[in-house]
Amino acid sequence: MGGNTFGTSLQITTYGESHGHALGVIIDGLEPGFTIDLDDLSFQMSRRRPGGNRLGTERNEADAVEILSGIFEGKTTGTPLSIIIRNTNQRSHDYTDISRFFRPGHADFTWQKKFGIRDWRGGGRSSGRETAARLAAGAIAMQILRSKGIVITAYTTQIGSVIAKKRDLSAVTENLVSCCDSEAAREMEQLIDSCRESKESVGGIIECLVTGCPVGLGEPVFQKTEALLAHAILSIGATRGIEFGEGFLSAQMTGSQHNDPISPEGFLSNHAGGINGGITNGEDIFFRVPVKPTASIEQPQKTIDLEGQSQTIVVKGRHDPSIVVRIVPVIEAMTALTLLSLYYDQFGRS
Amino acid sequence: MGGNTFGTSLQITTYGESHGHALGVIIDGLEPGFTIDLDDLSFQMSRRRPGGNRLGTERNEADAVEILSGIFEGKTTGTPLSIIIRNTNQRSHDYTDISRFFRPGHADFTWQKKFGIRDWRGGGRSSGRETAARLAAGAIAMQILRSKGIVITAYTTQIGSVIAKKRDLSAVTENLVSCCDSEAAREMEQLIDSCRESKESVGGIIECLVTGCPVGLGEPVFQKTEALLAHAILSIGATRGIEFGEGFLSAQMTGSQHNDPISPEGFLSNHAGGINGGITNGEDIFFRVPVKPTASIEQPQKTIDLEGQSQTIVVKGRHDPSIVVRIVPVIEAMTALTLLSLYYDQFGRS
Amino acid sequence: MGGNTFGTSLQITTYGESHGHALGVIIDGLEPGFTIDLDDLSFQMSRRRPGGNRLGTERNEADAVEILSGIFEGKTTGTPLSIIIRNTNQRSHDYTDISRFFRPGHADFTWQKKFGIRDWRGGGRSSGRETAARLAAGAIAMQILRSKGIVITAYTTQIGSVIAKKRDLSAVTENLVSCCDSEAAREMEQLIDSCRESKESVGGIIECLVTGCPVGLGEPVFQKTEALLAHAILSIGATRGIEFGEGFLSAQMTGSQHNDPISPEGFLSNHAGGINGGITNGEDIFFRVPVKPTASIEQPQKTIDLEGQSQTIVVKGRHDPSIVVRIVPVIEAMTALTLLSLYYDQFGRS
Amino acid sequence: MGGNTFGTSLQITTYGESHGHALGVIIDGLEPGFTIDLDDLSFQMSRRRPGGNRLGTERNEADAVEILSGIFEGKTTGTPLSIIIRNTNQRSHDYTDISRFFRPGHADFTWQKKFGIRDWRGGGRSSGRETAARLAAGAIAMQILRSKGIVITAYTTQIGSVIAKKRDLSAVTENLVSCCDSEAAREMEQLIDSCRESKESVGGIIECLVTGCPVGLGEPVFQKTEALLAHAILSIGATRGIEFGEGFLSAQMTGSQHNDPISPEGFLSNHAGGINGGITNGEDIFFRVPVKPTASIEQPQKTIDLEGQSQTIVVKGRHDPSIVVRIVPVIEAMTALTLLSLYYDQFGRS
């Protein structure tokens, strides 16, 4: 009930603070006998790591992963796989101003009220850095899913008011904002640069596409695929919602527009986003996720201190003007962990 | 793992098919000594019951609840409270056409593929009727929350392209569409009537507002308040997403626009929707939920049969042109169950 | 966390008080397509039902089961199966003396202190009658296990100081005490009769044997087969322990005596009781369970009342001088539910 | 469902193989603001560590613990506390003979059949070394319980046929076998020494006493205190059973002998072992646990190899003639984790 474990057949448990000794994750329930691709694991970690992108934070972390257990001669054994990621580039002195003031848009206030104590260095466990552990676990889940033909791709479709006009997945790895439209990507990059200069931040929208998912994942009623994915995605800090298939647009559609007709060759449209009654139907799954603007901005903001007195805070440090790009792989990771757990629920572990 | 249990400190387990003997719910973990208001319980059931609203289905169910356990001399005892709702007005012969054809937009196809067998009468357990059990449990959770000063109100803000222009909560119980804008409500009612005539259906958007929630509910990382509410809400059939606070709009906002400044008297705005870092901050919680158009429409649609052959289906029966109105109390119910469980997690049961 | 749900892949949730309207159970996670034998279900219920045995209580309950959901045309559908058992023969006036006095050996005192309220009629939910719901669920689990070749048999090996001298399973259904030794059974019956006359009660020991269990059930570390069975069995009121294989005797054995050598044809002995490292090894599983003497005795006993004042209580009512016999099928039931859940964990649901 | 997580309000998740890089545990759900005594933690680890006792294995491990997260300025923060214990003295070459032969009495056979792969070095995750992680978590739980007045003490009462004649808790730390009777301890030590010489091993019995536990821990029905303790204790390798209070002896007792009368000052006897109806009653809790003889013996034993062929194995290595002594602190640890979780369930975290 501490809330640091996620999943059913496949479970992850994470730990670690932004400026503590290390972050880590235990993955429990993996199928035995799977050969883990360590190069791919490192590559996935590099996608989110601080300092890995000129648009992001200047904090530079190697985010090297060490696997402590659960592998024998390169293969999973079915026992818990423990991964540790050491913190090496924390600079706590940057944050000493914030030990007593609550940063607006952050969890400082609620955390202090709930626990009566908090590791305020870099936000402690409420820092986005916590997601590095999820990413490591998700990278392994993605490898296993890929071996079953299931491929997950997330990408940016909007930063501020710049909106992608097309869905060109080949473009996603070709720009600094993981956008599916090269032209829009350039504008997005400029927007982020200008935000950095004006000490502002900006939000965005991420879309996630899953191909190759078999029919039958998800359990009726409370463990519907959408419910579990929504749980997974909304557990990522800074996400503000989720919509599947036509999502909010479906409010304006009629039944004959929204229903997907069925033919012997499969569904003739995919307004549902690949899920009916909570169970995957074999079509592509897709959903969209709004991400709020980075809460840390180097501008004066009204707040209070530990004693409840009015204060003005300017949040210094090494912040991303937009965290959208770094959340893209985290959304893939949480999607992978959710779907692999559902896969094991339905088809077992071998 | 059958997926019919929801919650942590407070758990509900539901059962029942649309045309089976009964639906029901076991509520486990309720605080002892609470006096249940049976009249209020009946009233809440009437808000969703079939036949309770001239705009809805013509199926007429009393939806009388019988409490089998967990109460002694009118008070909860801390033991599981079991509620049963008998089905009385099922007319299975209306559905015999659909025993072999998969209805587009329904769970027929996925259910058949996943389980290899299904109770096709009225959609079996995938029917919206399943939510009657949640509603009974939620009505009790709402009573307990109200005794702690926490009030949950959901209402329609959009049906098709008709959008509420104001948030007048006093209007919600005064119209047939649970809308927060009396004027818009009239247009919505007309739209639904015209859909019925044209054998069409239409979607909508529901908003939910929670007032009086204390600081400190929700656990960091995987049990964030938004994550649990999203799980709860997306487990309701026909919902297609959820957004908290500014939601999808936050993508276009800057940090200085979106951050809520803090004063000694509280937050100076509420873009976050009452939650920071997954933990409630004492402000109002609010979120919006898109609902798709009813899948059952009395129009010819392309589909396949059990043998995979092309077929045309016209879904007859007693259907709601819009299920939005009947989902409104279900959203309140799932919100109440989620928040009461989090309340017990944080503050205990007494 | 209310504690009324048990299992992982297969879960049961029970409810009901001794003198309330009904008892019941929801079984969630059953494989779809299994034809339930309703006659066998009734027969199993009759084994535990009050009034079913001249040695037991005089309370006479039909214990008729009604299945409310989860079955279609005689087969399980994979949805939750809800079973209700109405109470019909409760006589609360027998118990009015005990509404204010705590009965020694019962849960009256602890329940009052924990919850501050209790349904004192017949012990409420702490009554052994609660196990009727488990029995119904277990009977179905036993049918499914039997179809997979797994057979569970529990039997009495000791009542008071009368000890069975042989393990003749064909004798178990031939006597009133479910004993595996016809001769000892006669002595046990006499002992129970004499206890009834002297207003005393007596304990006993039950052994449980599982044949046909495949290799591989149970998960290492915290979900070992013994750990889950111990949890299941010790959750039955009046049980005071459990031992597997050689159990307490193993303390006096040497490694060369206790280790089971392995041959190409299988294990050459079975001191371990069919489990190694928490995982079933294909041999027979067996364990023994001590059951305490019935706490309700019609003799004066020292106790206190609700105000903490000294009192003397004589517990009247219709009590079993020994509850061992009625616990025998409950042990089979809980064993079946535990093993079927582990079976689904390992081999899936189909 | 991988089975490596234990607990409800307080959860531990463990990982690690005997000869892998490290063992570890994540403790989730600890109350915030508790000052951990690191010296006591190291002392507790030393009680179980290999090489810490001349009677035990010659493997010498420092078992130094490193806390990676969850602590700030010496205090718990309410976030997951991660502890890592590096393996330093593994000598895998001692075990190369066992990579292909299944050791009798070990989990080699079942593990191979279940997973199809296993880290055979030192038994991998099925090694008793796995309990080092539980011990670290339990040591912290014991500190917190002690601050609430709850004290847990386990001790040896039997090794082979040598049985303790008295319960002198002050003796427990004064001898090498953690026995509550100094005289018996000397005989036990001699018995273990002679076992080492004769290449044999021997079992024993451990008793555990809990004082200071308040009324009200444990939930009725499936989460009874005995059920959870039995689950916890039987999840420790080599344990073969458990009995509470009078345990197996209760089979021979009458109701008037076994019932504990109640007076205004408390219970007048304690045959129940401090628990009624699954809920603690304020008296001392006590239970006994049989431990089988060490499976590893340096004698020829019949077995089979990976291909199922007959083989003879002599298990070499550095083994304890009796593992009873090293299991004593593990029983304390698992008892502490179980009771602290139940304490939080009942009284919350602060």
Side-chain angles (χ1 to χ4, degrees), chain B residues 84-143:
Chain B
I84 184 172
I85 305 156
R86 294 270 171 189
N87 288 322
T88 57
N89 193 243
Q90 63 270 46
R91 292 192 297 176
S92 293
H93 60 281
D94 283 357
Y95 293 95
T96 42
D97 294 349
I98 63 163
S99 65
R100 303 196 58 260
F101 295 3
F102 302 127
R103 295 167 299 166
H106 279 279
D108 301 351
F109 173 80
T110 52
W111 206 280
Q112 184 70 36
K113 294 291 175 188
K114 183 179 182 76
F115 295 103
I117 183 177
R118 70 196 161 97
D119 181 349
W120 47 262
R121 301 168 303 163
R125 182 137 179 81
S126 74
S127 164
R129 181 145 181 74
E130 163 262 316
T131 59
R134 308 189 192 204
L135 194 53
I140 289 170
M142 284 178 76
Q143 289 182 18

Side-chain angles (χ1 to χ4, degrees), chain C residues 198-237:
Chain C
S198 59
K199 306 194 170 183
E200 260 298 358
S201 64
V202 66
I205 295 179
I206 297 167
E207 192 167 279
C208 185
L209 176 74
V210 183
T211 60
C213 189
V215 185
L217 304 195
E219 301 293 328
V221 186
F222 299 116
Q223 305 297 322
K224 289 186 168 84
T225 303
E226 299 102 325
L228 292 175
L229 284 172
H231 187 146
I233 298 303
L234 269 296
S235 78
I236 305 170

Side-chain angles (χ1 to χ4, degrees), chain D residues 142-262:
Chain D
M142 283 178 76
Q143 291 181 18
I144 297 177
L145 286 172
R146 219 177 295 132
S147 76
K148 301 177 193 298
I150 304 171
V151 176
I152 299 167
T153 315
Y155 42 86
T156 306
T157 62
Q158 184 172 341
I159 297 281
S161 52
V162 184
I163 299 175
K165 304 267 179 319
K166 50 183 176 182
R167 294 289 182 277
D168 172 12
L169 296 201
S170 71
V172 174
T173 54
E174 304 296 313
N175 57 72
L176 292 174
V177 288
S178 300
C179 182
C180 53
D181 175 344
S182 303
E183 220 162 313
R186 273 193 299 275
E187 285 181 69
M188 291 174 178
E189 293 171 16
Q190 284 162 14
L191 176 59
I192 292 173
D193 277 332
S194 81
C195 279
R196 183 183 298 279
E197 276 163 45
S198 60
K199 306 194 170 184
E200 260 299 358
S201 64
V202 66
I205 294 180
I206 297 168
E207 192 168 279
C208 185
L209 175 74
V210 184
T211 59
C213 189
V215 185
L217 304 196
E219 302 292 328
V221 187
F222 299 116
Q223 305 297 321
K224 289 186 169 85
T225 303
E226 298 102 325
L228 292 176
L229 284 173
H231 186 147
I233 298 302
L234 269 298
S235 78
I236 305 170
T239 61
R240 301 312 298 149
I242 192 166
E243 60 174 6
F244 293 87
E246 297 291 347
F248 277 85
L249 269 185
S250 68
Q252 304 187 34
M253 295 171 77
T254 62
S256 58
Q257 288 169 332
H258 191 276
N259 284 349
D260 299 311
I262 319 177

Side-chain angles (χ1 to χ4, degrees), chain A residues 48-342:
Chain A
R48 199 215 67 96
R49 85 174 173 87
N53 183 326
R54 78 158 177 82
L55 294 176
T57 172
E58 291 156 35
R59 175 172 174 174
N60 199 322
E61 285 284 359
D63 276 1
V65 300
E66 185 188 3
I67 300 182
L68 298 173
S69 67
I71 283 197
F72 185 58
E73 299 177 344
K75 287 186 170 146
T76 57
T77 57
T79 61
L81 198 144
S82 169
I83 296 178
I84 185 172
I85 304 157
R86 294 270 172 189
N87 288 322
T88 57
N89 193 240
Q90 63 269 44
R91 291 192 297 177
S92 293
H93 60 281
D94 284 359
Y95 292 96
T96 41
D97 296 348
I98 61 163
S99 64
R100 303 195 59 258
F101 296 3
F102 302 128
R103 294 167 300 167
H106 278 281
D108 301 350
F109 173 80
T110 51
W111 207 280
Q112 184 71 36
K113 294 292 175 189
K114 183 180 181 76
F115 294 103
I117 183 177
R118 72 198 161 95
D119 181 348
W120 46 262
R121 300 168 303 163
R125 183 137 180 82
S126 74
S127 164
R129 181 143 181 75
E130 163 263 316
T131 59
R134 310 190 191 202
L135 194 53
I140 290 170
M142 285 178 75
Q143 290 182 18
I144 296 177
L145 286 172
R146 219 177 294 130
S147 77
K148 302 177 191 301
I150 305 171
V151 177
I152 299 167
T153 315
Y155 40 87
T156 306
T157 62
Q158 185 173 341
I159 296 281
S161 53
V162 184
I163 298 174
K165 305 267 179 323
K166 50 184 175 183
R167 293 289 182 278
D168 173 12
L169 295 201
S170 72
V172 174
T173 55
E174 305 295 313
N175 57 72
L176 292 173
V177 289
S178 300
C179 183
C180 54
D181 175 344
S182 303
E183 220 163 312
R186 273 194 299 276
E187 286 182 68
M188 290 173 180
E189 293 171 15
Q190 285 162 12
L191 176 58
I192 291 173
D193 278 332
S194 81
C195 279
R196 183 183 299 278
E197 277 163 45
S198 59
K199 306 192 171 183
E200 260 299 359
S201 65
V202 67
I205 294 179
I206 297 168
E207 191 167 280
C208 185
L209 176 74
V210 183
T211 60
C213 190
V215 184
L217 304 196
E219 302 293 327
V221 187
F222 299 116
Q223 305 296 321
K224 289 187 169 83
T225 303
E226 299 103 324
L228 292 176
L229 284 173
H231 186 147
I233 299 302
L234 270 296
S235 78
I236 305 170
T239 61
R240 303 310 299 149
I242 192 166
E243 60 174 6
F244 294 87
E246 297 291 346
F248 278 85
L249 268 184
S250 68
Q252 304 186 33
M253 296 172 76
T254 63
S256 58
Q257 288 169 332
H258 191 275
N259 284 349
D260 299 310
I262 319 176
S263 81
E265 289 74 40
F267 289 84
L268 297 173
S269 60
N270 189 10
H271 299 291
I275 308 169
N276 289 128
I279 302 169
T280 57
N281 67 14
E283 299 297 311
D284 291 351
I285 300 170
F286 56 92
F287 56 87
R288 272 169 305 279
V289 180
V291 176
K292 71 171 188 176
T294 313
S296 293
I297 48 174
E298 210 168 332
Q299 293 187 28
Q301 296 178 86
K302 285 188 187 161
T303 190
I304 56 172
D305 60 23
L306 282 175
E307 282 75 37
Q309 301 297 308
S310 273
Q311 301 288 353
T312 297
I313 189 170
V314 175
V315 182
K316 299 195 174 169
R318 302 162 295 177
H319 306 296
D320 291 307
S322 176
I323 42 178
V324 176
V325 190
R326 290 176 66 204
I327 288 181
V328 165
V330 183
I331 282 182
E332 291 181 357
M334 291 306 295
T335 302
L337 290 162
T338 303
L339 293 179
L340 184 55
S341 188
L342 287 175

Side-chain angles (χ1 to χ4, degrees), chain C residues 114 200 224 240 256 272 346, chain D residues 114 200 240 256 272 346:
Chain C
K114 183 179 180 76
E200 260 298 358
K224 289 186 168 84
R240 302 310 299 148
S256 58
Q346 179 65 9
Chain D
K114 183 178 181 75
E200 260 299 358
R240 301 312 298 149
S256 58
Q346 179 66 8

Side-chain angles (χ1 to χ4, degrees), chain D residues 42 45-46 49-50 60-65 85-86 88-89 129:
Chain D
S42 294
M45 293 306 292
S46 73
R49 85 175 174 85
N60 199 322
E61 284 284 0
D63 276 2
V65 300
I85 304 157
R86 293 271 171 187
T88 57
N89 192 242
R129 182 143 181 75

